Amino acid sequence: LLSTAVHAQARNHSASKPAVNTTPAPVVWNLAPAGNEARFIVREQLVGAELPNDAIGTTQAVTGSIALVGDQPDSAHSSITVDLRTLTSDKSMRDRYIKNRTLVTDSFPNAVFVPTRFTLASGSLAAGGKVTGTMSGIMTVHGTSRPISWDMTANVTGNEITGTATTHV
């Protein structure tokens, strides 16, 4: 299970729109410099333990932006990056194993998600308020890119958006 909580602020690029262009200019949501978190939850069975354990790793090193035209992402100008080298859990030995043997963060330090489509169940990112739905896109981890969908909830208030997106891998 992967989860990301974000806080972003909008910047409207409509001033640079040519007069003859009928396509609306994108609104760019930049992730705030603080208040973001990416986490993973993995069920593990440790040697000598009777019951499985949920290992949880987190990082606040989440950066990026999402450019929107209406309620859809402009993929050419949107990406969210997680610095995998900063993931930590409650066990340093687990952290070293994940970074050195699983993710190989020396060679592949980042996970990058590029949104390609939002399928909204309720609300509108452009209009504001509470929004729920699915965020689809391409996720690149360990040098491999694959399509992925995230369940999302967001709240848009003025020029700020806060929300959570969750997926299973």
Side-chain angles (χ1 to χ4, degrees), residues 43-78:
R43 172 96 5 127
E44 63 184 3
Q45 179 69 51
L46 301 174
V47 175
E50 282 187 41
L51 300 174
N53 176 58
D54 283 344
I56 301 171
T58 64
T59 181
Q60 285 73 47
V62 182
T63 59
S65 61
I66 297 178
L68 291 176
V69 176
D71 278 333
Q72 292 302 316
D74 176 356
S75 298
H77 299 97
S78 301

Side-chain angles (χ1 to χ4, degrees), residues 9-141:
Q9 295 182 325
R11 184 178 74 235
N12 193 329
H13 291 275
S14 60
S16 62
K17 181 174 70 171
V20 293
N21 187 354
T22 59
T23 303
V27 174
V28 179
W29 295 90
N30 294 307
L31 269 62
N36 302 306
E37 180 179 271
R39 73 170 59 184
F40 68 83
I41 302 172
V42 176
R43 172 96 5 127
E44 63 184 3
Q45 179 69 51
L46 301 174
V47 175
E50 282 187 41
L51 300 174
N53 176 58
D54 283 344
I56 301 171
T58 64
T59 181
Q60 285 73 47
V62 182
T63 59
S65 61
I66 297 178
L68 291 176
V69 176
D71 278 333
Q72 292 302 316
D74 176 356
S75 298
H77 299 97
S78 301
S79 70
I80 297 173
T81 301
V82 177
D83 185 344
L84 301 173
R85 298 169 296 185
T86 62
L87 284 169
T88 57
S89 69
D90 62 339
K91 304 269 189 227
S92 61
M93 196 159 97
R94 175 193 301 124
D95 298 344
R96 281 191 304 277
Y97 183 84
I98 288 172
K99 291 174 188 174
N100 295 333
R101 306 282 305 254
T102 305
L103 295 173
V104 192
T105 58
D106 285 346
S107 298
F108 306 100
N110 298 315
V112 178
F113 175 72
V114 176
T116 57
R117 179 161 182 73
F118 295 141
T119 304
L120 302 180
S122 67
S124 167
L125 294 164
K130 184 174 180 176
V131 179
T132 62
T134 304
M135 177 173 52
S136 301
I138 304 298
M139 180 100 161
T140 303
V141 179

